[in-house]
Amino acid sequence: MTSLTQRSSGLVQRRTEASRNDREKATEGEEEERERDGQEEDERAGDKEARLTLMEEVLLLGLKDREGYTSFWNDCISAGLRGCMLIELAFRGRISLESGGMRRKSLLARKVIFKSDAPTGDVMLDEALKHIKETPTPETVQSWIELLSGETWNPLKLHFQLRNVRERLAKNLVEKGVLTTEKQNFLLFDMTTHPLTNNNIKQRLIKKVQEAVLDKWVKDPHRMDKRLLALIYLAHSADVIENAFAPLLDDQYDLAMKRVRQLLDLDPEVESTKPNANEILWAVVATFTK
C-alpha cells in the first residue's frame, strides 16, 4: 500500500514536472516567436530605410519636419547632394577614379572614369551617369560636383547641371511614403513643401547616425559600414548633421561632434590607400575638407 502510494505520488510529481516543462517550453516558444516577429518587423522597417539613397537620407536630415523645406540659410546642401550622387554611383560600380600612377597623383587631381551604364533605378543617378559617360574629357571629382551643381563659368558646360534636385528628391520621398506634399503661402509667393509623414523612418535614420558616433563608435573608419561613413561625412558637408544631434544631451552632443571632428581630421590621401577603401568616397571627402 505504501509502495503504491509512493509510486502514485511519484507519478503525480512526474506529471506535474512534465506539465511545468511543457508550459515553460510553450512560454519560451512564444517568446522566440515574438522575437522572430520583432526581428521580421525590424527587417521590414530596415528594408524601407535601405531603399533610401544617400541623397535622400541627407535631404531628409535637412528637412524641417512640419514646414517641409530645408533652411533658407543652408548654402552647402546643394554641393553635398552632388557629392552623394558620385559616391552612390561609385558604390554601385558605375564609376571609379583613374589610377594614381607611379608618382601617385593626389585624389583631387585624378579623373572620374566611367565604368558601366547599367541603369541604377534612380532617374537622377542615371542622369548624372549619362553626363559622366558623354563628357568629351574626363573631369575630377571636384569638377563634377561643381558641374552638376551648375557652379561653372564655362557656358559650354552648363548643360551638365542637374536642376531641381531637392524638389525631385522630395518627390521620391513622397513616393516612398516618407513625406507628403502641401502648398504654403509666403506673402509674395506660394511654395510647394513636403512635410514629414513617416516619422519612424526619420527617427531610425537619426538613431543610426547617433549610434555610429556614440554607442557603436569604432576608431577605425574602415571598420565602419561604408554607406554609414559616407552619410556622416556628407551630412556634415551639407551642414545637416547637427539636426541629427540636436535631441542629444549636452555631453552626448559634445562627444558626438568630437568624434565627427576626428573623422574630418583624417587624411583622405592616406585613408584611400588602405585595403578595400573606396577612392571616390575619399576624393569627395577631400573635396569638402581640403
Side-chain angles (χ1 to χ4, degrees), residues 120-283:
T120 64
D122 183 280
V123 174
M124 274 183 291
L125 288 179
D126 289 341
E127 191 175 333
L129 184 60
K130 184 172 181 288
H131 288 322
I132 294 171
K133 177 184 179 182
E134 295 180 353
T135 184
T137 55
E139 302 280 355
T140 63
V141 164
Q142 184 171 357
S143 294
W144 273 119
I145 290 175
E146 293 171 353
L147 291 171
L148 295 173
S149 301
E151 297 176 0
T152 175
W153 295 104
N154 188 341
L156 298 178
K157 295 186 176 182
L158 283 174
H159 66 284
F160 289 131
Q161 180 182 5
L162 296 183
R163 300 179 184 277
N164 303 318
V165 167
R166 271 176 270 189
E167 177 64 20
R168 292 164 71 183
L169 288 173
K171 287 182 178 178
N172 287 351
L173 290 170
V174 170
E175 291 176 2
K176 293 178 179 180
V178 183
L179 306 177
T180 187
T181 301
E182 293 180 358
K183 287 281 187 183
Q184 286 196 29
N185 180 267
F186 288 87
L187 296 179
L188 299 177
F189 62 94
D190 289 335
M191 187 173 85
T192 301
T193 61
H194 300 283
L196 185 70
T197 56
N198 190 332
N199 190 51
N200 290 334
I201 290 203
K202 183 162 186 178
Q203 288 307 310
R204 279 196 295 272
L205 175 60
I206 288 173
K207 183 181 178 183
K208 180 172 69 173
V209 175
Q210 291 176 352
E211 287 182 340
V213 293
L214 292 174
D215 299 339
K216 297 182 180 179
W217 169 250
V218 289
K219 291 184 179 180
D220 183 1
H222 298 278
R223 291 172 54 204
M224 292 178 66
D225 175 78
K226 283 188 175 66
R227 292 186 67 86
L228 183 53
L229 179 66
L231 176 61
I232 293 171
Y233 274 116
L234 291 163
H236 181 273
S237 302
D239 197 20
V240 299
I241 198 163
E242 288 199 7
N243 296 352
F245 296 157
L248 295 173
L249 300 174
D250 289 347
D251 57 341
Q252 290 177 315
Y253 176 89
D254 291 341
L255 180 59
M257 291 304 296
K258 177 184 176 182
R259 286 173 172 170
V260 170
R261 175 52 57 188
Q262 289 177 23
L263 292 176
L264 295 172
D265 288 341
L266 294 172
D267 186 344
E269 298 289 349
V270 174
E271 301 304 321
S272 68
T273 63
K274 294 183 179 179
N276 301 318
N278 186 290
E279 292 184 317
I280 290 280
L281 186 161
W282 292 108

Side-chain angles (χ1 to χ4, degrees), residues 109-125:
R110 292 161 66 185
K111 310 293 186 182
V112 175
I113 302 301
F114 167 81
K115 291 179 67 178
S116 168
D117 60 358
T120 64
D122 183 280
V123 174
M124 274 183 291
L125 288 179

